């Protein structure tokens, strides 16, 4: 995260003696990216974070991937996956994936196990319901419209809260997710042209101290999954400081960039990951040139697949195609895509779009996963051939 936070109890100088009330030393842990050459935080534990008493291989829910064959646009209705509910980690239904990113959906009604994803950062988008993110860094509460970024290898637990289940879109990276570099100064401050800034970002604000022994943590790592049993509960951090921690940002705080004529998708970019970007389409004033056509022109992104998750409002370019709340469209490279028939004419003279969508553009093809077949609208690819 681009700015520094300090939470709880800390010694005045790093890497110096910091003693507990009984005179024993707190255990200092440096959690950092890219060895010792990128963002990091220092955490102070009551117990050694290395003390495990057991480790065994864990078999996770199966994940299969098949190529998008035949090549065509796809429409996935995620709400068709609703079942009896699940936990927000092991209950994820995987829809799309490649070697850089996995995209899943879950309707969650119970807490997850303690979990550490050592393969990359996670970006969770809360479509509906509320969520409490508990971690070694403290507590972070999320509401509809929030993105939550969980750094690689953070021990955490996801707890749906409230009276209704929580709907989550999960974007799991093979590396790190953060603000695009063009939004940041050389020292990491958000620049004036950025559509959001430090004031819009939330992080944990108090330590979370939980007692317990022989505590299980599931770890996804580069060779599979493991169940570790820790001698003491990992939520034992009395204080931490640094630039690496879970953080939340609301899509409703994204300030849209508009112009006299149609602006291309990079103006909506919110985050960058390894070989993919995440963009936010929000309610906004649209093009004000007297001859403007507000909906997108047909475009062929020859290097990327485009996934759009529709999470509110009316998406003008897709009206008449069956798109609804919770829909996901996939427009792959190798195929030109654009507005539905009649959308361009209907948009002329419109001055405001009331739409809410999350876009993931990947620079390697996305495969289809198990759950995609369960919720696909088979007629979507042919909707451009119909008359308006």
């Amino acid at each position: 995260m681009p700015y520094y936070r300090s939470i709880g109890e800390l010694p005045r100088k790093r890497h110096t003696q910091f003693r507990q009330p009984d005179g024993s030393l707190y255990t200092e842990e440096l959690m950092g990216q890219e060895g010792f050459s990128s963002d990091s935080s220092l955490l102070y534990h009551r117990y050694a974070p290395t003390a495990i008493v057991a480790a065994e291989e864990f078999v996770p829910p199966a994940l299969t991937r098949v190529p998008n064959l035949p090549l065509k646009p796809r429409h996935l209705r995620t709400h068709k996956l609703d079942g009896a509910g699940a936990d927000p980690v092991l209950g994820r239904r995987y829809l799309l994936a490649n070697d850089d990113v996995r995209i899943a959906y879950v309707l969650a009604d119970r807490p997850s196990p303690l979990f550490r994803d050592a393969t990359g950062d996670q970006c969770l988008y809360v479509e509906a319901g509320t969520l409490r993110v508990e971690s070694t860094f403290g507590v972070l509460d999320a509401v509809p419209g929030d993105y939550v970024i969980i750094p690689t290898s953070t021990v955490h637990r996801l707890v749906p809260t409230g009276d209704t289940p929580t709907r989550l879109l999960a974007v799991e990276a093979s590396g790190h997710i953060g603000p695009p570099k063009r939004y940041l100064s050389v020292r990491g401050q958000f620049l004036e042209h950025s559509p959001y800034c430090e004031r819009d970002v939330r992080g944990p604000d108090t330590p979370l101290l939980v007692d317990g022994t022989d505590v299980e943590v599931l770890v996804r790592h580069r060779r599979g999954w493991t169940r570790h049993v820790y001698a003491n509960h990992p939520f034992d951090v009395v204080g931490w400081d640094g630039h690496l921690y879970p953080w939340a940002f609301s899509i409703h705080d994204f300030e849209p960039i508009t112009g006299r004529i149609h602006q291309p998708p990079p103006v909506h970019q919110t985050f960058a990951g390894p070989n993919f970007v995440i963009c936010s389409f929000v309610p906004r004033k649209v093009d004000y040139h007297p001859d403007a056509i507000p909906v997108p022109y047909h475009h062929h992104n020859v290097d990327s697949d485009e996934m759009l998750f529709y999470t509110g409002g009316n998406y003008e370019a897709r009206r008449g195609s069956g798109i609804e709340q919770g829909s996901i469209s996939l427009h792959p490279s190798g195929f030109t895509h654009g507005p539905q028939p009649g959308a361009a004419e209907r948009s002329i003279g419109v001055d405001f779009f009331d739409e809410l969508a999350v876009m993931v553009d990947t620079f390697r093809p996305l495969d289809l996963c198990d759950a995609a077949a369960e919720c696909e609208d088979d007629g979507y690819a042919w909707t451009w051939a119909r008359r308006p």
Side-chain angles (χ1 to χ4, degrees), residues 295-306:
V295 297
Y297 35 82
H298 288 79
H299 49 290
H300 186 183
N301 297 341
V302 298
D303 294 318
S304 61
D305 281 12
E306 176 189 286

Side-chain angles (χ1 to χ4, degrees), residues 301-372:
N301 297 341
V302 298
D303 294 318
S304 61
D305 281 12
E306 176 189 286
M307 186 223 83
L308 263 173
F309 176 65
Y310 302 87
T311 185
N314 298 301
Y315 201 78
E316 289 292 333
R318 294 284 166 266
R319 199 194 307 175
S321 60
I323 295 295
E324 59 194 12
Q325 177 72 29
S327 284
I328 284 178
S329 64
L330 172 65
H331 297 144
S333 61
F335 185 85
T336 303
H337 61 276
Q340 289 288 316
E345 286 288 348
R346 286 196 304 268
S347 74
I348 294 173
V350 173
D351 61 2
F352 184 84
F353 280 178
D354 180 21
E355 63 188 22
L356 201 62
V358 174
M359 184 173 80
V360 181
D361 263 14
T362 66
F363 297 103
R364 285 199 274 191
L366 284 165
D367 292 334
L368 305 174
C369 301
D370 313 65

Side-chain angles (χ1 to χ4, degrees), residues 188-331:
Q189 182 181 5
F190 280 106
L191 296 170
E192 282 295 300
H193 66 267
S194 172
Y196 62 102
C197 73
E198 290 85 352
R199 296 185 192 180
D200 301 316
V201 171
R202 313 190 310 277
D205 56 11
T206 56
L208 174 62
L209 297 174
V210 179
D211 293 319
T213 57
D214 296 335
V215 178
E216 293 187 358
V217 177
L218 298 182
V219 182
R220 175 166 51 200
H221 48 93
R222 295 173 187 176
R223 288 289 184 258
W225 287 61
T226 295
R227 179 190 286 111
H228 284 151
V229 180
Y230 280 79
N232 300 99
H233 203 293
F235 296 168
D236 68 338
V237 173
V238 298
W240 60 270
D241 75 332
H243 291 251
L244 184 67
Y245 48 85
W247 54 285
F249 165 70
S250 174
I251 196 171
H252 303 296
D253 286 329
F254 186 90
E255 298 302 332
I257 298 169
T258 60
R260 278 187 12 117
I261 58 174
H262 187 78
Q263 300 296 295
V267 303
H268 306 288
Q269 188 177 353
T270 312
F271 308 111
N275 289 318
F276 71 89
V277 299
I278 300 175
C279 300
S280 302
F281 290 83
V282 301
R284 63 195 181 278
K285 291 282 189 181
V286 289
D287 320 339
Y288 51 90
H289 185 284
D291 293 324
I293 300 176
V295 297
Y297 35 82
H298 288 79
H299 49 290
H300 186 183
N301 297 341
V302 298
D303 294 318
S304 61
D305 281 12
E306 176 189 286
M307 186 223 83
L308 263 173
F309 176 65
Y310 302 87
T311 185
N314 298 301
Y315 201 78
E316 289 292 333
R318 294 284 166 266
R319 199 194 307 175
S321 60
I323 295 295
E324 59 194 12
Q325 177 72 29
S327 284
I328 284 178
S329 64
L330 172 65
H331 297 144

Side-chain angles (χ1 to χ4, degrees), residues 45-244:
H45 294 263
R46 296 188 296 187
Y47 306 101
T50 47
I52 58 173
V53 298
E56 62 180 12
E57 186 176 359
F58 177 77
V59 179
L63 168 61
T64 61
R65 291 165 41 183
V66 297
N68 180 7
L69 290 174
L71 184 74
K72 64 177 182 177
R74 308 273 179 170
H75 173 206
L76 311 179
R77 290 189 161 114
T78 61
H79 289 192
K80 289 184 66 176
L81 300 174
D82 289 358
D87 88 59
V89 170
L90 296 180
R92 293 178 188 176
R93 305 298 310 278
Y94 287 89
L95 298 162
L96 304 165
N98 61 25
D99 290 342
D100 303 312
V101 65
R102 299 173 299 272
I103 299 169
Y105 187 82
V106 63
L107 178 69
D109 64 354
R110 66 201 69 171
S112 75
L114 291 175
F115 178 56
R116 166 181 269 160
D117 189 348
T119 66
D121 293 358
Q122 297 196 5
C123 175
L124 308 178
Y125 179 81
V126 182
E127 179 194 354
T130 54
L131 185 72
R132 177 182 169 100
V133 182
E134 302 175 347
S135 76
T136 48
F137 293 88
V139 174
L140 189 57
D141 289 312
V143 298
D146 276 348
Y147 294 104
V148 180
I149 307 296
I150 302 177
T152 306
S153 280
T154 299
V155 178
H156 65 279
R157 185 170 79 125
L158 303 178
V159 183
T161 55
D163 298 327
T164 58
T166 302
R167 295 183 179 274
L168 293 177
L169 181 76
V171 180
E172 304 170 353
S174 63
H176 303 308
I177 300 172
K181 289 184 179 179
R182 71 178 184 276
Y183 293 168
L184 305 176
S185 74
V186 293
R187 294 179 178 84
Q189 182 181 5
F190 280 106
L191 296 170
E192 282 295 300
H193 66 267
S194 172
Y196 62 102
C197 73
E198 290 85 352
R199 296 185 192 180
D200 301 316
V201 171
R202 313 190 310 277
D205 56 11
T206 56
L208 174 62
L209 297 174
V210 179
D211 293 319
T213 57
D214 296 335
V215 178
E216 293 187 358
V217 177
L218 298 182
V219 182
R220 175 166 51 200
H221 48 93
R222 295 173 187 176
R223 288 289 184 258
W225 287 61
T226 295
R227 179 190 286 111
H228 284 151
V229 180
Y230 280 79
N232 300 99
H233 203 293
F235 296 168
D236 68 338
V237 173
V238 298
W240 60 270
D241 75 332
H243 291 251
L244 184 67

